[in-house]
Amino acid sequence: MRPLISTTDLAAALAGPAGDRPVVLDVRWRLAGPPGADSYREGHVPGAVFTDLDRVLAAEPGEGGRHPLPDPADLQRDLRAAGVRAGTPVVAYDDKDGSVAARAWWLLRWAGHQEVAVLDGGYAAWTAEGRPVSTEQPSPEPGDLTVHPGAMPVLDADEAAALARDGLLLDARAAQRYTGETEPVDPRPGHIPGAVNAPFAGHNREDGHWRTPEQLAARFEELGLRPGEPVGAYCGSGVTAGSVVLALELAGHPGAGLYAGSWSHWSRDPGRPAATGTLPG
């Protein structure tokens, strides 16, 4: 299954036989609110199950950062409650640029579930096209997915630091946070020395849809990625970095590593250096 699915293809899949329909996860979330659950109750893709980033797609904040990876047993329980079954496609969507949905995509892939995609254009595209929405909260039949963690590469802090020196480590945050001009959330400003800024907003066109594989490939080439070079990504808390991994896969560079703790983990340790300014450092 390709990492992206169009609204047309999702609508067709949902109109198909009940046993062939994908599980749809509504993962709307905003750092400053309002809560995604409120938006879900106001309307969602018919049959979609609300899946909370903070409770399902991440563990409690702590030493591992603001959005550490969930415990595999907890993730398995929650995904089964959402109806996720082995071999059944899953589609995730948010209402912005797909970066939160990409967290669900990456996490399911990490858990060993290959049949997963992000809705291209998200809920905004779905409603702009006049497609049906629902306020009914479904009660899905429990799934049987078994989580096998580790199917996607995860970087720790030392591995991220090494990749910034010996490969290409991409920082998915906005430029102002990368340079250290501002840091509204985490303990210290700046970036991992050697990391290259690659804001996740650059994956999308103005209409909110993802750029073509060719456009994404050109972008990563401009950022310095060479064929066969090891590459990884991080962001503030490990969420939007998943969209970098997805974009790299679309561009023909699968298997990128993700520093799950990201800057929220790195900046907690005063012994780890922080670079500032526009250069990698």
Side-chain angles (χ1 to χ4, degrees):
M1 190 173 189
R2 288 182 53 78
L4 294 180
I5 185 171
S6 69
T7 52
T8 300
D9 288 345
L10 176 58
L14 292 176
D20 297 334
R21 294 171 191 166
V23 173
V24 181
L25 304 180
D26 183 315
V27 296
R28 283 179 279 182
W29 178 88
R30 308 166 191 89
L31 182 62
D38 291 350
S39 300
Y40 173 80
R41 285 188 287 268
E42 292 169 0
H44 51 264
V45 173
V49 178
F50 182 69
T51 306
D52 188 80
L53 169 66
D54 293 314
R55 294 190 306 103
V56 177
L57 304 181
E60 290 289 333
E63 292 298 323
R66 286 187 283 113
H67 287 112
L69 297 183
D71 178 84
D74 293 340
L75 180 63
Q76 178 173 291
R77 177 200 64 215
D78 292 333
L79 290 177
R80 287 184 175 186
V84 180
R85 306 184 66 83
T88 298
V90 177
V91 175
Y93 70 86
D94 57 37
D95 59 358
K96 291 190 178 293
D97 46 36
S99 59
V100 179
R103 167 68 170 214
W105 171 84
W106 183 90
L107 195 62
L108 279 156
R109 290 281 300 272
W110 171 81
H113 192 69
Q114 295 297 313
E115 298 294 309
V116 56
V118 168
L119 179 61
D120 189 14
Y123 191 67
W126 183 270
T127 55
E129 294 166 4
R131 299 191 184 275
V133 298
S134 174
T135 57
E136 180 181 352
Q137 299 189 32
S139 299
E141 180 181 345
D144 63 1
L145 179 71
T146 298
V147 168
H148 297 288
M152 292 287 273
V154 178
L155 306 174
D156 62 22
D158 290 337
E159 290 167 333
L163 187 60
R165 295 192 306 270
D166 305 326
L168 181 65
L169 181 65
L170 298 173
D171 184 319
R173 297 174 300 163
Q176 294 87 348
R177 292 185 68 191
Y178 172 83
T179 62
E181 179 183 341
T182 183
E183 180 45 69
V185 187
D186 293 316
R188 289 186 290 153
H191 60 266
I192 297 173
V196 173
N197 193 208
F200 65 88
H203 303 147
N204 299 97
R205 307 193 308 251
E206 289 185 4
D207 63 3
H209 288 271
W210 288 67
R211 297 187 183 278
T212 66
E214 295 76 17
Q215 291 169 332
L216 292 169
R219 179 173 189 254
F220 289 121
E221 183 177 356
E222 291 174 0
L223 290 167
L225 181 59
R226 299 183 296 271
E229 182 180 29
V231 59
Y234 78 98
C235 57
S237 65
V239 173
T240 57
S243 70
V244 179
V245 177
L246 190 155
L248 283 163
E249 184 158 317
L250 289 171
H253 303 281
L258 187 147
Y259 177 19
S262 285
W263 189 249
S264 66
H265 175 257
W266 181 281
S267 61
R268 293 173 66 92
D269 183 352
R272 293 197 178 276
T276 56
T278 59
L279 298 178

